């Protein structure tokens, strides 16, 4: 038996959705599969779907809809006219580096008198600081333009004003209650801002500033905007989708010097670069500069004007990234050991393991603790906070990563009295506090997690877009799905459920047999599946059995041959399963499909659900009969109607269920309740 690792949430579907998908497929000349996915993702109206698929620069919003944009533009233009010195003040992550680099290109174009400054992650920390402001005053700076930072810098901006420096804030982080008294604050999330899209990255806000100053969308910098948007895990919808699509086209066809050098140093092929390639190939190398050295090295790459300088910078970043990987691996091992000790101590005391993972050590490099937090979340599926402690001052700098349902920014706000500083989003945040507060901090976060989260929230969820059969998994299908690219946050690559697929073959591949290779289907129509890190499952699988598998379709190219391939995310296998008699889980899935339909003609219903689920029409009809006997559905005038609030009853109370199970020879199965 192989159990699911996650909760499988199949996207709802009904006759209304089907009709809308049919209309979109006809009017937009897109395949039915693409039309169904458009409807599922909320693009069920013609105009919205058209814009999602084919939106161009004409769909960029007016930058002056951003609150504070007019004041920001006026102040910068005044500085240019009066030859005042401007300093770009950025952040050390990939979004901050991208934002800084984009404004460097903009201010070069405007022929400004400017330079840029990014704080050192370990020595200065995040955001504006007094020493940096004093340095700016000493350098004759009259205007600071922040990018990807500044929204929480109330005191620092007041101090800059005392020193005769104006500040324009451009940021995208969650605003605090008290907005800085800057000469302009541009942030789509601030109260009173009517901008129609709130999902811009820091570089997206910088892009809109450039849009306003140039009176046109600066498409030539969409490659840089794409890097920061993807790296900061912003939703690839609305303007972000347009920016990233243009940006990927530039990377593929007319990449700037810095990106060409980075691809050469990192062994990437720009001609075929995707959003995933940017996220896992480019972004880590850009981030490595700020994590282990100084982020200005990444800005130098993205603003390089000759290839010799660019390739030297790229090689340096690639080397830093390799070092970063070694450091992360070491800290992850230490952190996992500390977590095991905490869990064992809780067990010895007769208590549950802490609901939030809070780990701190003096030796941990604060530049990589965010990555460490992500890895521990992946391994344990609990909110995670990893902190590095300064031995002399006792101050801790931490990074948090959270799970669905636990808003880490809101949780930090609830712990505000324990923190020196914090900021971030629902899923990720940073904070600083003294080590003396760590115990109370962990206790308070644990209380909030218990209060805010329910039982199912502690189980990772896999969203499933569509039920699919092996016969449908063709190269043509994969080509159709590419119409929805770029994929990323807010627009994930479609996840498909192959239910009751016959396992034709299985084997392990890779070093130490770490990975799983499957063949699904029968006869000549087979679909290869690859499960990275799933090699240990091979011995539990039996060819000829039926499995349920979730994954993403891709194209495997080998020796010039192109074949469909399923990248496995999760699977379920019961060696005693018989396709003629479904398990309780499958009753549940079919019943949920019926509830989503609400009402449907009985004629053809079993055949329709059979095609979606992989069960035979006879098995589906048996399930329909059982549901009708238990009054989960009613059949009237040739229509199936799902009960709105059915009474909870055991499957075993159905005579049809008991008879069918006995005939199937599966009397060992326990009767379970249906909700």
């Amino acid at each position: 038996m192989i159990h699911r690792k996650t909760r499988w949430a199949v996207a709802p579907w009904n006759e209304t959705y089907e009709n809308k998908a049919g209309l979109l497929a006809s009017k937009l000349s897109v395949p039915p599969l693409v039309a169904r996915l458009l409807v599922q993702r909320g693009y069920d109206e013609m105009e919205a779907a058209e814009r999602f698929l084919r939106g161009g620069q004409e769909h960029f919003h007016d930058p002056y809809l951003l609150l504070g944009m007019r004041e920001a533009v006026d102040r910068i233009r005044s500085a240019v006219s009066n030859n005042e010195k401007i300093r770009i003040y950025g952040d050390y992550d990939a979004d901050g580096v991208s934002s800084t680099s984009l404004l460097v290109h903009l201010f070069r174009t405007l022929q400004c008198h400017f330079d840029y400054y990014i704080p050192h992650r370990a020595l200065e920390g995040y955001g504006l600081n007094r020493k940096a402001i004093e340095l700016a005053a000493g350098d004759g700076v009259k205007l600071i333009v922040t990018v990807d930072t500044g929204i929480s810098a109330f005191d620092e901006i007041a101090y800059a004003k005392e020193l005769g420096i104006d500040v324009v804030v451009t940021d995208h982080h969650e605003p605090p209650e008290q907005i800085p008294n800057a000469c302009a604050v541009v942030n789509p999330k601030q109260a009173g801002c009517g901008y129609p899209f709130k999902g811009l990255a820091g570089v997206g806000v910088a892009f809109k500033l450039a849009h306003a100053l140039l009176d046109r969308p600066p498409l030539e910098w969409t490659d840089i905007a794409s890097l920061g948007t993807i790296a900061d895990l912003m939703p690839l919808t609305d303007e972000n989708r347009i920016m990233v699509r243009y940006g990927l086209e530039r990377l593929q066809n007319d990449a700037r010097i810095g990106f060409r050098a980075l691809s050469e140093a990192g062994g990437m092929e720009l001609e075929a670069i995707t959003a995933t390639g940017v996220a896992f190939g480019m972004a880590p190398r850009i981030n490595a500069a700020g994590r282990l050295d100084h982020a200005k090295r990444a800005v130098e790459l993205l603003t390089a004007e000759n290839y010799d300088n660019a390739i030297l910078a790229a090689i340096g970043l690639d080397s830093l990234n390799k070092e970063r990987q070694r450091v992360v691996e070491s800290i992850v091992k230490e952190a996992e050991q500390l977590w095991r000790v905490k869990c064992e101590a809780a067990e010895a005391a007769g208590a549950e393991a802490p609901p939030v993972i809070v780990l701190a050590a003096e030796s941990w490099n604060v530049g990589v603790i965010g990555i460490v937090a992500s890895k521990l979340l992946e391994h344990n599926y609990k909110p995670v906070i990893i902190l590095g402690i300064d031995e002399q001052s006792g101050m801790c700098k931490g990074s948090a990563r959270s799970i669905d349902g636990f808003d880490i920014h809101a949780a930090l706000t609830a712990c505000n009295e324990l923190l020196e500083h914090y900021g971030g989003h629902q899923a990720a945040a940073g904070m600083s506090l003294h080590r003396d507060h760590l115990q109370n901090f962990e206790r308070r976060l644990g209380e909030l997690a218990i209060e805010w989260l329910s039982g199912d929230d502690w189980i990772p969820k896999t969203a499933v877009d569509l039920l699919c059969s092996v016969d449908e998994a063709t190269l043509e299908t994969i080509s159709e799905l590419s119409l929805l690219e770029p994929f990323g946050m807010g627009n994930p690559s479609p996840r498909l459920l192959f239910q009751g697929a016959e396992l034709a073959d299985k084997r392990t591949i890779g070093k130490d047999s770490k990975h799983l290779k499957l063949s699904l289907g029968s006869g000549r129509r087979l679909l290869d599946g690859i499960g990275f890190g799933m090699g240990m499952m091979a011995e539990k699988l039996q060819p000829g059995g039926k499995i349920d598998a979730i994954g993403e379709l891709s194209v495997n190219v080998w020796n010039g041959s192109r074949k469909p391939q399923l990248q496995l995310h999760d699977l379920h296998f019961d060696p005693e399963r018989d396709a003629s008699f479904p398990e309780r889980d499958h009753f549940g899935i079919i019943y949920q499909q019926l509830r989503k339909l609400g009402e449907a003609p009985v004629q053809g219903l079993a055949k329709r659900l059979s095609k979606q689920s992989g069960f035979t029409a006879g098995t589906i009809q048996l399930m329909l009969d059982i549901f009708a006997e238990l009054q989960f559905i009613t059949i009237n005038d040739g229509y199936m109607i799902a009960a709105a609030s059915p009474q909870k009853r055991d499957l075993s109370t159905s005579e049809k269920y008991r008879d069918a199970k006995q005939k199937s020879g599966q009397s060992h199965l326990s009767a379970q309740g249906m909700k």
Side-chain angles (χ1 to χ4, degrees), residues 53-68:
L53 288 176
R54 297 155 186 162
Q57 60 177 306
E58 69 278 7
H59 291 111
F60 280 121
H61 303 302
D62 181 351
Y64 289 105
L65 293 175
L66 281 160
L67 183 66

Side-chain angles (χ1 to χ4, degrees), residues 15-315:
E15 287 292 335
T16 301
Y17 293 165
E18 186 69 40
N19 292 336
K20 288 184 175 182
L23 185 62
L24 289 181
S26 173
K27 296 293 185 181
L28 296 177
S29 299
V30 297
L33 181 66
V34 172
R36 290 199 293 271
L37 285 165
L38 285 169
V39 171
Q40 282 181 347
R41 297 184 179 191
Y43 305 100
D44 55 358
E45 299 296 334
M46 203 65 61
E47 183 178 350
E50 175 77 22
R51 178 176 175 178
F52 180 83
L53 288 176
R54 297 155 186 162
Q57 60 177 306
E58 69 278 7
H59 291 111
F60 280 121
H61 303 302
D62 181 351
Y64 289 105
L65 293 175
L66 281 160
L67 183 66
M69 182 61 81
R70 176 64 64 186
E71 292 79 2
V73 168
D74 289 346
R75 183 61 187 90
I76 292 170
R77 284 179 173 162
S78 173
V80 175
S81 298
N82 296 319
N83 200 34
E84 293 176 309
K85 186 171 183 180
I86 305 173
R87 177 158 291 171
I88 306 164
Y89 196 105
D91 185 28
Y92 36 67
D93 69 0
D95 188 16
V97 164
S98 301
S99 307
T100 302
S101 301
L102 193 148
L103 282 203
V104 167
H105 287 289
L106 171 66
F107 287 173
R108 282 176 181 172
T109 300
L110 296 176
Q111 298 184 330
C112 300
H113 177 37
F114 79 97
D115 60 14
Y116 67 88
Y117 184 92
I118 298 178
H120 191 285
R121 184 192 293 259
L123 301 179
E124 297 175 81
Y126 174 79
L128 284 165
N129 65 77
R130 287 187 168 236
K131 288 185 178 180
I133 293 169
E134 291 168 0
L135 179 63
D139 290 342
V141 172
K142 295 300 180 184
L143 174 63
I144 290 175
V145 180
T146 74
V147 285
D148 195 33
T149 189
I151 195 65
S152 300
F154 185 89
D155 293 336
E156 291 79 5
I157 289 174
Y159 183 58
K161 193 171 184 179
E162 291 177 11
L163 299 184
I165 301 175
D166 285 340
V167 180
V168 167
V169 173
T170 74
D171 201 352
H172 75 123
H173 292 97
E174 295 294 336
E177 292 184 8
Q178 197 172 32
I179 299 296
N181 187 25
C183 62
V185 176
V186 183
N187 183 332
K189 295 177 182 175
Q190 65 179 311
C193 182
Y195 199 69
F197 182 54
K198 306 298 184 182
L200 293 171
V203 72
V205 180
F207 182 89
K208 299 309 296 185
L209 177 64
H211 185 171
L213 283 163
L214 297 175
D215 295 319
R216 62 173 177 81
L219 300 183
E220 64 270 31
W221 302 323
T222 50
D223 50 357
I224 296 175
S226 298
L227 171 64
T229 298
I230 294 169
D232 219 42
L233 303 180
M234 292 296 104
L236 297 191
T237 58
D238 205 280
E239 281 190 304
N240 287 347
R241 178 174 172 82
I242 299 171
M243 274 193 293
V244 169
R245 191 161 55 210
Y246 276 119
L248 292 175
E249 288 175 1
R250 289 196 66 84
L251 287 171
Q252 293 162 0
N253 301 312
D254 188 25
R256 68 183 64 251
I257 290 172
F259 284 121
R260 293 206 308 270
L262 188 63
S263 68
E264 182 176 337
M268 293 170 277
E269 295 183 9
L270 283 178
E271 295 77 9
I273 194 76
T274 63
T276 301
V278 172
F280 293 99
M282 291 184 172
R285 291 172 169 83
I286 295 295
N287 268 321
R291 295 188 189 282
L292 297 184
D293 190 0
H294 199 289
K296 67 181 181 181
R297 294 182 61 174
V299 176
E300 289 167 357
L301 173 72
L302 296 182
T303 59
E305 296 184 287
N306 71 75
Y307 191 76
D308 289 343
N309 290 340
I311 193 63
L312 287 175
I315 291 171

Side-chain angles (χ1 to χ4, degrees), residues 61 68 163 206 443 486 505 514:
H61 303 302
L163 299 184
R443 176 187 57 78
D505 190 23
K514 189 175 182 180

Side-chain angles (χ1 to χ4, degrees), residues 581 587 626 651-652 654-661 670-671:
F581 194 87
F587 273 94
I626 292 170
L651 287 173
S652 61
S654 163
E655 184 177 349
K656 293 181 184 294
Y657 176 86
R658 294 194 304 269
D659 289 346
K661 189 170 72 166
S670 60

Side-chain angles (χ1 to χ4, degrees), residues 117 138 187 312 332 341 415 433:
Y117 184 92
N187 183 332
L312 287 175
V332 166
V341 170
C415 302
L433 71 160

